[in-house]
């Protein structure tokens, strides 16, 4: 251990002599007055001064030690306070809820996110009062028995339930007074709702895609068996069944094309498009392609253009967008009605200074009930599945449209009135 020696100091010596001066002067006075001889003076110094010097030295030494200790203590306290402040600041800045519990699970420290999530009254309260979940409780119990961090997932919150992952770390610290070690629990909460949602969506997507493929496949297999068996010699049935099998096989092929198209668009979602596009020409050519289909339902498609400026986009993908939207208007619109495709002027985008090009597609028909509107662009979501399937739909059209519009940094939304009109608005930024 490092010994802290007091260095020689002339001022200290003078101070020392000053303290001793009355005794020294008294001895000298006695000698000058011939009250004592030289020998007696020496004895006087030995008897009176030396023990005094020794005790003063001892006293000063004690003082110095005390002094050092006080300084150290002040210094230590300051460092601890600074560390505490630093720790609190870091905890406060982190966006995940963080808590420190004592050995009885009472909350000792909590950052702002923890307060926001669990309430302002959590301090000094048992955490289980605020997180009422059996999985969480048993994880906490396990965490007290092990030095290894314990994790657990649990659902929490009303009215919106969210998924949380918690990590609990047990740690101990020596307490200052009695050197007895105390145990604490560090608890971090992570909101994993988005990951959970993505997991569920992925699982749903695989289940839906398999189902969509299995249905036509089962139908084709059924017809093949019938043709090989009971309808082997029935020529009429041959023709009918082959036509159905052709339709089903085409639907499967469309579905696979749509799935591949969706995955390609998702892959390129963050690659900005680079084609220079005259949107008027593009929409006009889509209408030309779809006009025969509209005529079958005695529908007319009108297009009021007036659109001069070019936009930067992906030609094939934007063709896909308008093809799908206008095709939907034909498929789900009523016979003998008009479909209006219009360019809407001067709609400013939320980003100041940039202008959008806004196109609306309006059709007359049964419309879409409000509860379906928010889910319309989900993969495989249909308002009327049987109707969509009978019209050859895969239910992926609007999901593809949504992703393409996202890639173009645009917006799309539906408005509909039952038994009246359905209007789709697509806005694309003029400058990417
Ligand atoms: N203009 C519209 N009027 C009424 N309902 C619509 C309209 N557009 C879309 N829908 C509804 O939204 C659903 C989803 O449309 P989406 O384009 O994604 O699929 P689809 O048309 O059934 O199949 P696909 O486009 O893949 O061939 C449709 O099944 C339909 O119920
Ligand atoms: Mg469609």
């Amino acid at each position: 251990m490092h010994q802290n020696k007091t260095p020689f100091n002339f001022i200290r010596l003078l101070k020392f002599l000053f303290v001793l001066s009355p005794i020294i002067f008294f001895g000298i006075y006695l000698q000058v007055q011939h009250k004592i001889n030289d020998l007696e003076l020496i004895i006087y110094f030995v008897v009176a001064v030396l023990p005094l010097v020794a005790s003063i030295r001892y006293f000063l030494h004690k003082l110095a030690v005390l002094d050092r200790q006080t300084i150290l203590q002040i210094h230590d306290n300051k460092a601890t306070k600074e560390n505490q402040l630093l720790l609190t600041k870091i905890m406060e800045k982190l966006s995940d809820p963080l808590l420190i519990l004592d050995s009885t699970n009472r909350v000792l420290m909590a950052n702002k996110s923890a307060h926001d999530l669990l309430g302002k009254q959590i301090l000094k309260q048992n955490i289980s009062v605020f997180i009422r979940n059996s999985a969480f409780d048993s994880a906490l119990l396990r965490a007290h028995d092990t030095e290894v961090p314990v994790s657990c997932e649990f659902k929490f919150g009303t009215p919106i339930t969210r998924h949380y992952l918690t990590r609990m770390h047990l740690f101990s610290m020596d307490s200052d007074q009695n050197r007895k070690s105390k145990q604490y629990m560090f608890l971090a909460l992570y909101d994993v709702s988005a990951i959970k949602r993505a997991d569920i969506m992925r699982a749903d997507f695989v289940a839906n895609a398999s189902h969509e493929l299995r249905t036509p496949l089962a139908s084709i297999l059924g017809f093949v068996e019938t043709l090989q068996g009971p309808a082997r010699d029935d020529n009429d049935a041959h023709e009918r069944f082959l036509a159905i099998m052709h339709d089903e096989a085409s639907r499967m092929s469309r579905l696979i094309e749509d799935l591949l198209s969706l995955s390609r668009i998702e892959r390129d979602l963050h690659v900005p498009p680079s084609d220079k596009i005259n949107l008027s020409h593009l929409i006009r050519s889509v209408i030309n392609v779809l006009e025969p289909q509209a005529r079958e339902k005695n529908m007319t498609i009108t297009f009021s253009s007036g659109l001069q400026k070019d936009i930067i986009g992906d030609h094939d993908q934007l063709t896909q967008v308008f093809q799908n939207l206008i095709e939907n208007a034909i498929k789900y619109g009523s016979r003998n009605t008009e479909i209006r495709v219009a360019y809407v002027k001067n709609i400013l985008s939320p980003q100041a200074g940039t202008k959008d090009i806004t196109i609306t597609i309006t059709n007359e028909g049964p419309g879409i009930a409000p509860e379906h509107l928010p889910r319309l662009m989900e993969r495989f979501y249909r308002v009327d599945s049987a109707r969509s399937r009978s019209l050859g739909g895969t239910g992926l059209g609007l999901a593809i449209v949504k992703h393409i519009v996202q890639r173009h940094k645009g917006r799309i939304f539906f408005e509909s009135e039952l038994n009246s009109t359905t209007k789709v608005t697509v806005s694309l930024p003029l400058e990417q």
Side-chain angles (χ1 to χ4, degrees):
M1 274 266 273
H2 173 71
Q3 281 267 306
N4 231 341
K5 280 200 166 186
T6 316
F8 174 79
N9 185 322
F10 187 67
I11 305 288
R12 268 175 164 248
L13 178 71
L14 281 182
K15 275 193 210 166
F16 186 59
L17 290 176
F18 180 75
V19 174
L20 289 180
S21 56
I23 297 162
I24 295 166
F25 280 124
F26 184 63
I28 294 167
Y29 167 78
L30 288 176
Q31 215 258 352
V32 172
Q33 294 290 317
H34 302 293
K35 296 240 164 69
I36 53 169
N37 57 28
D38 289 352
L39 185 70
E40 282 168 336
L41 181 68
I42 290 165
I43 293 167
Y44 167 80
F45 276 142
V46 171
V47 173
V49 178
L50 282 185
L52 195 71
V53 170
S55 56
I56 286 174
R57 272 197 64 119
Y58 177 75
F59 178 68
L60 283 177
H61 172 75
K62 276 277 164 207
L63 257 185
V65 170
L66 213 71
D67 201 33
R68 267 205 310 279
Q69 274 177 357
T70 323
I71 289 167
L72 269 176
Q73 220 166 44
I74 290 168
H75 194 73
D76 261 354
N77 279 346
K78 212 177 132 203
T80 314
K81 270 197 187 119
E82 266 179 20
N83 286 345
Q84 264 178 4
L85 265 174
L86 193 70
L87 188 70
T88 324
K89 275 242 158 73
I90 293 170
M91 276 180 75
E92 209 60 16
K93 287 276 171 217
L94 293 174
S95 54
D96 294 312
L98 305 169
L99 301 122
I100 292 174
L101 313 180
D102 67 7
S103 56
T104 60
N105 295 335
R106 285 186 320 157
V107 179
L108 294 180
M109 277 175 91
N111 68 350
K112 186 178 174 297
S113 302
H115 279 297
D116 289 346
L117 179 72
L118 302 170
K120 293 281 165 229
Q121 301 83 26
I122 48 173
L123 287 180
K124 296 190 187 147
Q125 302 290 326
N126 195 303
I127 186 75
S128 299
V129 175
F130 297 90
I131 301 177
R132 290 181 182 273
N133 185 285
S134 55
F136 177 83
D137 284 343
S138 52
L140 203 54
L141 216 64
R142 265 183 290 131
H144 276 291
D145 282 339
T146 170
E147 292 282 312
V148 186
V150 172
S151 305
C152 107
E153 273 184 35
F154 65 98
K155 284 186 199 167
F156 177 75
T158 45
I160 300 161
T161 305
R162 302 191 70 82
H163 285 264
Y164 281 92
L165 167 74
T166 174
R167 290 234 162 81
M168 304 160 173
H169 306 248
L170 185 73
F171 67 98
S172 42
M173 260 175 51
D174 291 338
S175 76
D176 262 356
Q177 292 89 2
N178 45 15
R179 290 265 149 220
K180 229 177 103 186
S181 101
K182 276 190 178 176
Q183 286 199 319
Y184 299 91
M185 186 72 71
F186 177 70
L187 215 141
L189 297 168
Y190 306 101
D191 188 343
V192 290
S193 310
I195 301 167
K196 280 269 158 206
R197 218 174 17 248
D199 273 354
I200 293 167
M201 270 172 71
R202 204 170 28 243
D204 279 357
F205 176 66
V206 172
N208 282 333
S210 318
H211 175 76
E212 294 288 335
L213 283 169
R214 219 173 39 203
T215 315
L217 197 61
S219 147
I220 292 169
L221 282 173
F223 284 117
V224 168
E225 277 166 24
T226 320
L227 286 174
Q228 284 171 334
R232 186 189 293 267
D233 303 316
D234 185 343
N235 277 346
D236 274 2
H238 276 200
E239 222 160 284
R240 259 188 306 123
F241 290 173
L242 281 173
I244 298 171
M245 283 162 72
H246 180 266
D247 283 354
E248 294 294 298
S250 309
R251 192 146 76 89
M252 279 178 77
S253 151
R254 262 200 314 278
L255 183 66
I256 289 165
E257 254 170 53
D258 279 357
L259 284 171
L260 289 174
S261 166
L262 196 61
S263 88
R264 262 196 309 273
I265 296 160
E266 275 188 324
R267 192 195 56 205
D268 293 341
L269 202 61
H270 302 291
V271 181
S274 54
D275 302 338
K276 205 170 172 193
I277 292 164
N278 183 318
L279 212 53
S280 273
H281 288 171
L282 188 144
I283 293 171
R284 172 60 55 205
S285 57
V286 169
I287 292 173
N288 288 343
V289 171
L290 291 174
E291 232 147 21
Q293 206 174 317
R295 235 175 285 133
E296 278 176 26
K297 285 180 80 178
N298 200 25
M299 291 170 118
T300 48
I301 306 174
T302 59
F303 178 40
S304 57
S305 170
L307 194 65
Q308 299 305 330
K309 283 188 180 167
D310 289 344
I311 67 159
I312 302 295
D314 183 307
H315 191 275
D316 290 350
Q317 287 189 353
L318 288 179
T319 305
Q320 223 173 335
V321 167
F322 290 102
Q323 207 157 19
N324 201 290
L325 296 177
I326 299 170
E327 197 181 20
N328 277 355
I330 300 171
K331 280 203 293 191
Y332 305 109
S334 299
R335 297 183 75 84
N336 313 318
T337 54
E338 186 188 61
I339 295 167
R340 292 183 301 279
V341 183
Y343 159 60
V344 188
K345 272 187 195 153
N346 289 336
I347 296 215
L348 281 171
S349 78
Q351 302 102 340
T354 58
K355 265 190 192 158
D356 281 349
I357 279 186
T358 302
I359 308 286
T360 60
I361 299 138
T362 315
N363 70 274
E364 315 278 323
I368 307 165
E371 65 268 23
H372 295 295
L373 289 176
R375 299 194 58 190
L376 227 48
M377 283 182 271
E378 286 177 18
R379 294 157 188 190
F380 300 113
Y381 191 84
R382 292 131 158 157
V383 175
D384 180 346
S385 299
R387 181 157 183 233
S388 158
R389 282 208 186 91
S390 70
L391 294 171
T394 62
L396 287 173
L398 290 180
I400 293 173
V401 166
K402 183 180 103 175
H403 279 84
I404 296 175
V405 173
Q406 253 177 21
R407 186 185 169 209
H408 285 76
K409 297 195 175 70
R411 284 170 299 154
I412 174 165
F413 59 92
F414 279 77
E415 291 162 280
S416 187
E417 223 175 283
L418 282 177
N419 295 317
S420 180
T421 54
T422 299
K423 184 161 103 177
V424 194
T425 307
V426 183
S427 293
L428 297 165
L430 209 48
E431 292 139 31
Q432 287 283 326

